[in-house]
Structures are given as structure tokens and as C-alpha cells.
Amino acid sequence: MCGLICTNYHILQEHVDLHLEESSFAQGMDRVQCSGDLELAHQLQQEEDRKRRSEESRQEMEEFQKLQRQYGLDNSGGYKQQQLRNMETEVNRGRMHPSEFHRRKADMMESLAMGIDDGKTKTSGIMEALYRYYQNAATDVRRVWLSAVVDHFHSSFGDKGWGCGYRNFQMLLSSLLQNDAYDDCLKGMSVPCIPKIQSMIEDAWKEGFDPQGASQLNNRLQGTKAWIGACEVYTLLTSLRIKCRIVDFHKSTGPLGTHPRLFEWILSYYSSEREGSPKVMCTSKPPIYLQHQGHSRTVVGIEERKNRTLCLLIFDPGCPSQDMQKLLKQDLEASSLKQLRKFVGNLKHKQYQIVAVEGVLSSEETAARRQDSQIFTAEKIP
């Protein structure tokens, strides 16, 4: 135990006992220390877990609120409230005279009461201007197919940031309203304002269309800034007895994330009426609603270039009237078409959905499609 030499047995015994007591005490202390360390480690772990759960919960809530804001479901009001707030901001910044504010407010209230779009963001005559341009210029284009006449609508103070789906529906409807084939379905209708479109979709839900989509949007659009997409546009058109199909280009079909199959599908849609082979084909086909993550646009035609590549002609609701009106000039230049032209390399989102109109439904077909929409499935390509 140690190097001590004792003079007699008793002293040796006491010394040995002392060593044994020390050893026992030290072991006990080690056990106490070890137990204390474990307890502390356990407490630290619990505190760490609590903090992590609290942080995850906070992040989840932030993400949820962000999504609510992004998709217009945060109870901050809808089209009317946003229009008034943004106009007030313009007055406060000296960019709008108070008398202009009151005039615009009165116009908006009248438009909302009637349920009809006020036409302030509308540009007409572009398709006719495109026809003239392609007849007289565009030497790099072999052939072009144009949709039936369609007006362009862009976002306003009331729907900036969330209204693209509604504006594209207005574009599509503006074309159908000028097409005799749809007179029976759309009798007496004018292009509706955004809150009216919201109420029309809610009515379609109440009739039993797309219950899953309805529940995702809490069965409510009016008074919100909720985005709509291809499913809501399909639902609304079908409820109006307009025959359409929704096609999901759910993954890339070309190199570098491109979608050549989408371009081929659109070419086939417009060129199916082919008779003879003039350079410019003004078809009776309505425009196509085109959706991707975060935005939607309207396809109004397609070019086949001299080098056999395809190029879509697209109306974007994010493009203001003053830019669209440049297309109405008599001496239209190729550079003005840049905002409309989208080549295969320009469309690289992961997924695209289209809604294409194909005619009119009978009452029986409408009822069948309402039943089919209980479990909503899109046609997938590829």
C-alpha cells in the first residue's frame, strides 16, 4: 500500500485501515461525481432538445405564415383592400392627386358592384397587328399559327403579386366571348372583374367540382389574395360547360431541363386545322393557359422558324399596357416581339401545366366531368 515500515503490529494495522478508508471514500466520491455528471449531461440534453423543438416550431410557424401570405390566405383582405391601400400609398408619395384617388375608387366600386372588369388594364388589337407583321416581315419565320382574337390584361394595383391566374382567365375568356361557337355557354356574359371570378369559382365548388382543391383553399376565395392555377381555371371553364383538358408536363423531356414535348403539343394543337400551307395561319383555336410554379401566362401562337426550331408567342399578365401597346404600331419591329417570343431554352421550370379549350360540353358531359373531378387527375406527358 505504501513504503512505510512500522515498529509494531498495531500501528501497522491502523495505518492499513486508514488506507482502506481513504480508498473507499475516493471510490464513493467517484460514484457521486459520475452520477452528478450523468445528471448534468441529461439536463443539458433536455434543454438542447427543448430549444431545438422550440426553434423548429417557430420556423414551421414562420414558413406557414409565409405560405399563407404568398398564397393570399393571411386574412389581409383581397382585391378591393389592396387596391385602396396601394392607391393611398401613391397619394401619400405625391404620385396621385387626391381627386384621382376618389375618381378611381368610385370606378372600382362600380366595377365590383357590376362584377365586370373595368377594362383599364386591357389592350385589344394585338393579334391583328401580329397578323400584319408576319404577312409583311419576319423573314426568319417559315410558318406561324395564331390563336383566335384575344385581348391582353395585366395586373393592377388591386392584384399585383397574386392575380396572374385571374388575368390569364380574363384573356382566355375574352377570346371565347368573341367566338360564336361559345355563345350558348357564355350568353350575356362580359369579362368579369377578379372578385367576380373568385365568386364564380366558389359557385363551381358549391356545385361539387374539385372538392379537394376547394378544401385546400378553405372553400373561400372572395376577400382573399389567394392564387389560382390550372385546376381552378379548368374547374371554372367546365362549370360554364366549356370543354377543356388539363395536361401536366411533369418533367423535362429535353436536354438542360427543357420541355420540347410541350412545344410539340402546342404546335399540334394549333396546326390541327391545317388547310393548305400559307405562311400565317389565323386559327379559330382559343389561346392556351400555361402554368408553372409561381406564375402563369397565355400562349397565343407558335412560330416554326426557318431552322425548324419552335418559338411560342406568349402574353404575360406581368407586362404593362404601355409595353403591349408598342405592338400596335404600324411599323412593328422584330425587337418589339422579344417580350412575346419564348424559345425552348427559355422555358426551364421543372413542371408545366396547360389548360386547352376544345369546344362545348352538353349538360350530361358537364355532370360526368363534375363527378370525375372528385378525384382530380391531369393527363401526364411523358
Side-chain angles (χ1 to χ4, degrees), residues 298-317:
T298 297
V299 181
V300 299
I302 186 166
E303 297 175 345
E304 184 183 53
R305 316 284 284 190
K306 287 274 173 72
N307 62 5
R308 298 287 174 162
T309 58
L310 297 175
C311 177
L312 297 182
L313 299 171
I314 287 179
F315 280 4
D316 190 330

Side-chain angles (χ1 to χ4, degrees), residues 216-270:
Q216 282 171 4
L217 291 164
N218 300 328
N219 295 284
R220 177 172 162 254
L221 289 174
Q222 290 185 85
T224 75
K225 295 192 281 285
W227 296 26
I228 60 167
C231 292
E232 287 73 40
V233 170
Y234 174 89
T235 292
L236 180 46
L237 289 169
T238 307
S239 73
L240 294 170
R241 289 192 23 244
I242 291 165
K243 184 180 183 181
C244 54
R245 65 201 281 201
I246 184 165
V247 187
D248 186 3
F249 296 85
H250 59 102
K251 65 179 182 182
S252 161
T253 49
L256 304 171
T258 54
H259 292 263
R261 292 279 297 275
L262 168 64
F263 282 69
E264 289 160 15
W265 195 99
I266 291 171
L267 176 64
S268 170
Y269 171 82
Y270 280 120

Side-chain angles (χ1 to χ4, degrees), residues 155 177 287:
S155 299
L177 286 168

Side-chain angles (χ1 to χ4, degrees), residues 79-88 90-91 96-114 116 118 120 156-158:
Y79 179 88
K80 183 173 85 171
Q81 290 85 346
Q82 181 172 313
Q83 177 96 348
L84 290 172
R85 271 198 304 271
N86 285 338
M87 288 199 304
E88 282 165 6
E90 291 295 292
V91 171
M96 185 186 290
H97 194 274
S99 62
E100 170 77 355
F101 170 86
H102 290 295
R103 187 184 63 74
R104 285 209 198 181
K105 181 180 175 183
D107 288 348
M108 179 191 72
M109 298 310 281
E110 184 182 352
S111 166
L112 297 182
M114 295 173 68
I116 295 171
D118 59 15
K120 286 189 167 66
S156 68
F157 280 138

